Amino acid sequence: MKIRKQCALVALEDVKAYITEECGQIAVFDATNTTRERRDLILNFAKENAYKVFFVESVCDDPEVIAANILEVKVSSPDYPEINREYVMDDFLKRIECYKVTYQPLDPDNYDQDLSFIKVINVGQRFLVNRVRDYIQSKIVYYLMNIHVQPRTIYLCRHGESDFNLVGKIGGDSGLSPHGKQFAQALKKFIAEQGIVDLKVWTSQLKRTIQTAESLGVPYEQWKILNEIDAGVCEEMTYEEIETQYPDEFALRDQEKYLYRYPGGESYQDLVQRLEAVIMELERQGSVLVISHQAVMRCLLAYFLDKSADELPYLKCPLHTIFKLTPVAYGCKVETITLNVEAVNTHRDKPSGSTNSLPKSQTPVRMRRNSFTPLASPDTIKRTRNYSVGSRPLNPLGSLLFPEVRDGADQQKLQLQMGSACL
């Protein structure tokens, strides 16, 4: 026990170093924390460093749920490399019996009534939430109450090749090219061959994704938040045109693609925040096919494949290719399926001169950056947003635009999140 306590103290020092030296904001202390003594140790550490604490307790007393969890989750655990399933079941059941001897559950009525925590009972059958004190804690509760462990498959693909893809223009609302229509038919055949029960199909509200879904001959849902990243004044322009007309903007985006925001448009950081509702709904659902766009698909892939903000804007999402994602314990299996329909390449590699000069061990503070070109600049070409059929506002105001007022760097709360994985 002395060694285990020392290991916990060392891990807590790692938490402190992450937050104070590496600009971390939320730390997950992943440990069993099954006794009040251990939880008091964590609380004292947090008090000394002015951190907030939120405990997550997983309680499972259903034998069938426990057995299924061991087979589906613990077999993939690093604790059991290449060991037969019978041994895993027997060994982990013995570990549970050992934990029962010292386990002291969180007590919302007396001892722990002032703590912030959530109890997840039998893998989401019931929840008990106690003293949620801020936005971050409420988002954690929201996330835990929406995820599930049932088997499912998520299919991600872009729309078929569009007319704008052919000429290298970004954004806009063009229709499918002949090859794009051919891909839509190939996608229909592929989905039929999968034999997926209760498959849901989601698209954006832009013409090219809707036309792709229409060819499937199945019901589908349109999500406005699945629309492609808004390129603002650069909508319907080629990269060559952007480099010529807005050289400073072009250079800025290459320097920090994730944080860069198009004048009058969005950044990848904005897009990630916009897609939160879609990601949460994907966690709630069974099998889903999402037909979207290059930037949107990059964000979704980055979430499920645990990619960093630096990697996200350069993930390769070619046209006419399906990414089959199967969430599993400790990760997500990914299979790439190419439907062998010709298409142009829309990927731009990361410029060699845009690498950060900081040492790899030093993580820079990320701040939201506005572009150089001000929205009120007389040189700014204001382009109206294109709408697909049925999605145009009821009272369009023609060329009169109301640029969205955006604030500066987001203020984020510092918070320490503690995982209390109890049995």
Side-chain angles (χ1 to χ4, degrees), residues 263-312:
E266 293 178 299
S267 67
Y268 268 95
Q269 186 181 54
D270 296 327
L271 183 58
V272 167
Q273 293 171 356
R274 165 156 55 100
L275 290 171
E276 179 183 321
V278 168
I279 290 171
M280 290 308 306
E281 195 61 24
L282 282 173
E283 290 286 10
R284 288 167 50 90
Q285 297 293 335
S287 296
V288 181
L289 165 64
V290 182
I291 304 172
S292 60
H293 307 267
Q294 182 167 248
V296 172
M297 189 168 166
R298 282 171 173 162
C299 295
L300 297 178
L301 277 177
Y303 171 78
F304 285 105
L305 302 184
D306 194 23
K307 299 298 182 180
S308 69
D310 289 326
E311 296 174 290
L312 184 155

Side-chain angles (χ1 to χ4, degrees), residues 71-348:
L71 290 179
E72 294 175 13
V73 177
K74 299 305 176 184
V75 168
S76 305
S77 169
D79 293 343
Y80 301 103
E82 300 180 7
I83 297 179
N84 62 63
R85 290 194 166 194
E86 291 75 14
Y87 175 81
V88 174
M89 179 71 75
D90 182 64
D91 182 74
F92 203 80
L93 287 174
K94 289 179 180 178
R95 290 174 63 176
I96 292 175
E97 293 302 316
C98 291
Y99 279 127
K100 284 182 179 179
V101 177
T102 58
Y103 175 40
Q104 296 173 295
L106 287 164
D107 180 8
D109 298 319
N110 294 295
Y111 190 85
D112 301 309
Q113 61 181 331
D114 293 327
L115 297 184
S116 298
F117 63 84
I118 180 174
K119 282 177 179 274
V120 183
I121 302 169
N122 287 326
V123 200
Q125 290 181 8
R126 288 190 297 134
F127 300 90
L128 190 155
V129 181
N130 194 72
R131 293 197 181 269
V132 173
R133 289 188 168 93
D134 58 33
Y135 174 76
I136 295 295
Q137 292 180 0
S138 69
K139 296 298 287 186
I140 293 171
V141 170
Y142 172 61
Y143 177 77
L144 292 174
M145 292 182 72
N146 280 281
I147 61 174
H148 66 84
V149 294
Q150 301 304 317
R152 70 190 193 280
T153 303
I154 299 169
Y155 298 88
L156 303 178
C157 74
R158 292 172 63 186
H159 52 81
E161 179 189 73
S162 71
D163 293 329
F164 273 13
N165 289 147
L166 288 176
V167 294
K169 291 184 177 182
I170 64 174
D173 196 17
S174 64
L176 297 182
S177 71
H179 283 148
K181 295 175 182 177
Q182 185 181 346
F183 166 73
Q185 294 301 318
L187 180 62
K188 176 181 179 180
K189 181 180 178 182
F190 170 81
I191 293 300
E193 290 172 349
Q194 300 302 300
I196 307 164
V197 179
D198 297 327
L199 175 69
K200 293 189 175 181
V201 179
W202 298 349
T203 75
S204 71
Q205 288 189 350
L206 297 177
K207 190 185 303 180
R208 49 196 185 274
T209 63
I210 294 172
Q211 288 181 343
T212 304
E214 285 284 355
S215 299
L216 301 181
V218 298
Y220 62 90
E221 299 176 39
Q222 295 181 28
W223 290 62
K224 186 175 181 179
I225 55 178
L226 280 173
N227 284 4
E228 180 60 302
I229 189 171
D230 189 342
V233 299
C234 298
E235 284 276 317
E236 301 184 19
M237 296 175 68
T238 67
Y239 286 114
E240 291 76 15
E241 290 171 340
I242 297 171
E243 186 173 17
T244 300
Q245 296 187 36
Y246 304 109
D248 289 338
E249 298 296 334
F250 188 84
L252 266 179
R253 191 165 193 263
D254 278 348
Q255 287 174 16
E256 181 56 280
K257 192 173 180 180
Y258 179 77
L259 296 175
Y260 170 81
R261 177 185 287 144
Y262 282 106
E266 293 178 299
S267 67
Y268 268 95
Q269 186 181 54
D270 296 327
L271 183 58
V272 167
Q273 293 171 356
R274 165 156 55 100
L275 290 171
E276 179 183 321
V278 168
I279 290 171
M280 290 308 306
E281 195 61 24
L282 282 173
E283 290 286 10
R284 288 167 50 90
Q285 297 293 335
S287 296
V288 181
L289 165 64
V290 182
I291 304 172
S292 60
H293 307 267
Q294 182 167 248
V296 172
M297 189 168 166
R298 282 171 173 162
C299 295
L300 297 178
L301 277 177
Y303 171 78
F304 285 105
L305 302 184
D306 194 23
K307 299 298 182 180
S308 69
D310 289 326
E311 296 174 290
L312 184 155
Y314 297 101
L315 293 176
K316 291 186 176 180
C317 301
L319 289 164
H320 303 174
T321 301
I322 301 167
F323 285 75
K324 181 179 179 180
L325 306 179
T326 307
V328 295
Y330 307 102
C332 187
K333 292 182 180 178
V334 58
E335 180 183 353
T336 304
I337 303 150
T338 303
L339 296 190
N340 297 317
V341 177
E342 184 180 344
V344 295
N345 179 15
T346 61
H347 182 80
R348 290 183 73 239

Side-chain angles (χ1 to χ4, degrees), residues 21-36:
E21 299 173 15
E22 300 180 32
C23 304
Q25 296 173 322
I26 298 175
V28 179
F29 185 72
D30 185 12
T32 49
N33 304 322
T34 51
T35 65
R36 289 173 179 169

Side-chain angles (χ1 to χ4, degrees), residues 374-395:
L375 295 182
S377 169
D379 298 327
T380 300
I381 301 175
K382 296 184 177 180
R383 298 175 181 272
T384 56
R385 190 70 170 155
N386 290 298
Y387 298 92
S388 57
V389 175
S391 66
R392 182 177 293 278
L394 292 178
N395 296 304

